[in-house]
Amino acid sequence: MNLPGGESMKTALRNVCGYALWNAAYLLTALGLAVMIKYHYSRAGSEDLRWILLPTARVVELFSGIRFVEELHAGFINRSHRILIAPSCAGVNFLIIAFGVAVISGLHHIKKIALQFVWLVAALIAAYLLTIFVNAFRITISIYSYDDRLFALWLEPGRLHLLEGVLIYSFFLCLFYRIIEAGLCRAYGRIAPAISEEKQNALPAMTAVLPLFCYLTVTLLIPLLNGAAGGDVQRFAEHGAIVLTVSFVVALLFWRQLGWSWLRDRLKRRPIANEK
């Protein structure tokens, strides 16, 4: 006896399994690369991370005008300003998240397996370049915000550092995803005239959700599962509250009904004063 809808369920299951198997090589390779980068970072010193610390220091120099020199077993330092770009400032976790966001974006658009592996290389390069720029920008902002005595009146340096990092990282992740999606849609002709409005309405919502989901998974969920809250529950709870709050604010910026897309639409519909 066949249950109602049994054939459609079997067909859907076959499609899901086929889709998963077809993309398994792509996803497993991406996961393997991410794990290798994380493993390398967890055991690396400043010399091992020179591939990311050096370009980051040079871009910070470009942004700030502050000169950094390499310090053995420490990183890149400016003694007069008492600033150290150490392995903890390398931004490797952000690189992994950005790579993951690019991988997931490519999965939705690129179906040929050969092109998927080309995209993996492109995604890793793009995530690396984005990490250098965004991390250098974050460090530069931190340098000037710490010099400003006004911040010390209401926010202690540790919380300020976390708030700046979450705001900058989450914002650029959403922007990164938005750019990738727009580029891939254009390259593959996914936005046909008949469905363009539907696609364009869905994109801001996904821009707010997917990158921040990846970001929160790496910054909160995985550390929580690894027992990060066991040592100091109150401190982890405060850390989590700041991360969630700032991420939510960034999500609103990219949400069509509430963010700058809404503001742009309102301004377009605003009647001109002289119009009769």
Side-chain angles (χ1 to χ4, degrees), residues 248-267:
F248 178 73
V249 171
V250 171
L252 293 182
L253 291 175
F254 286 90
W255 201 273
R256 184 175 181 84
Q257 285 75 17
L258 296 172
W260 55 30
S261 296
W262 174 84
L263 180 60
R264 181 194 62 200
D265 292 342
R266 294 286 293 180
L267 290 174

Side-chain angles (χ1 to χ4, degrees), residues 105-249:
S105 299
L107 182 66
H108 176 63
H109 294 276
I110 304 171
K111 304 305 180 183
K112 293 182 179 180
I113 192 165
L115 291 179
Q116 286 181 339
F117 282 94
V118 172
W119 177 251
L120 279 183
V121 176
L124 189 57
I125 293 172
Y128 173 70
L129 295 176
L130 178 73
T131 300
I132 291 170
F133 171 80
V134 173
N135 204 31
F137 179 74
R138 179 190 64 83
I139 292 170
T140 304
I141 293 295
S142 297
I143 291 171
Y144 288 111
S145 63
Y146 285 173
D147 285 342
D148 193 338
R149 298 294 180 182
L150 292 175
F151 283 106
L153 296 177
W154 64 277
L155 191 63
E156 61 97 14
R159 292 192 183 97
L160 174 61
H161 182 74
L162 175 61
L163 190 150
E164 289 173 342
V166 176
L167 179 61
I168 292 169
Y169 284 151
S170 56
F171 175 82
F172 278 101
L173 274 174
C174 290
L175 190 61
F176 182 56
Y177 175 77
R178 187 71 175 268
I179 292 170
I180 289 174
E181 278 292 307
L184 288 176
C185 284
R186 183 178 295 273
Y188 283 86
R190 295 280 173 168
I191 301 181
I195 60 171
S196 59
E197 185 176 354
E198 179 185 351
K199 289 283 186 179
Q200 289 170 354
N201 287 340
L203 181 56
M206 286 302 296
T207 303
V209 173
L210 179 61
L212 294 180
F213 173 78
C214 296
Y215 180 71
L216 294 175
T217 298
V218 173
T219 58
L220 288 182
L221 181 59
I222 293 177
L224 184 63
L225 294 176
N226 288 334
D232 191 339
V233 176
Q234 182 176 355
R235 185 174 180 180
F236 185 83
E238 179 184 328
H239 171 87
I242 293 174
V243 172
L244 288 171
T245 302
V246 176
S247 299
F248 178 73
V249 171

Side-chain angles (χ1 to χ4, degrees), residues 62-74:
L62 183 65
F63 287 163
S64 66
I66 298 173
R67 181 69 180 171
F68 289 86
V69 296
E70 189 169 7
E71 182 84 4
L72 190 64
H73 306 310

Side-chain angles (χ1 to χ4, degrees), residues 14-139:
R14 281 196 298 268
N15 290 337
V16 170
C17 291
Y19 180 81
L21 289 173
W22 180 261
N23 294 285
Y26 171 75
L27 292 174
L28 289 175
T29 302
L31 179 61
L33 286 171
V35 171
M36 286 171 59
I37 294 171
K38 182 65 175 179
Y39 180 83
H40 167 71
Y41 176 56
S42 66
R43 287 161 173 75
S46 60
E47 289 76 21
D48 302 314
L49 293 172
R50 200 171 186 271
W51 55 274
I52 194 167
L53 289 176
L54 175 60
T56 300
R58 295 296 174 254
V59 177
V60 173
E61 289 178 350
L62 183 65
F63 287 163
S64 66
I66 298 173
R67 181 69 180 171
F68 289 86
V69 296
E70 189 169 7
E71 182 84 4
L72 190 64
H73 306 310
F76 290 81
I77 191 168
N78 181 286
R79 296 190 183 279
S80 61
H81 288 79
R82 294 185 296 175
I83 302 167
L84 175 65
I85 302 177
S88 59
C89 305
V92 175
N93 285 333
F94 179 80
L95 187 154
I96 293 171
I97 298 169
F99 175 61
V101 168
V103 166
I104 295 172
S105 299
L107 182 66
H108 176 63
H109 294 276
I110 304 171
K111 304 305 180 183
K112 293 182 179 180
I113 192 165
L115 291 179
Q116 286 181 339
F117 282 94
V118 172
W119 177 251
L120 279 183
V121 176
L124 189 57
I125 293 172
Y128 173 70
L129 295 176
L130 178 73
T131 300
I132 291 170
F133 171 80
V134 173
N135 204 31
F137 179 74
R138 179 190 64 83
I139 292 170

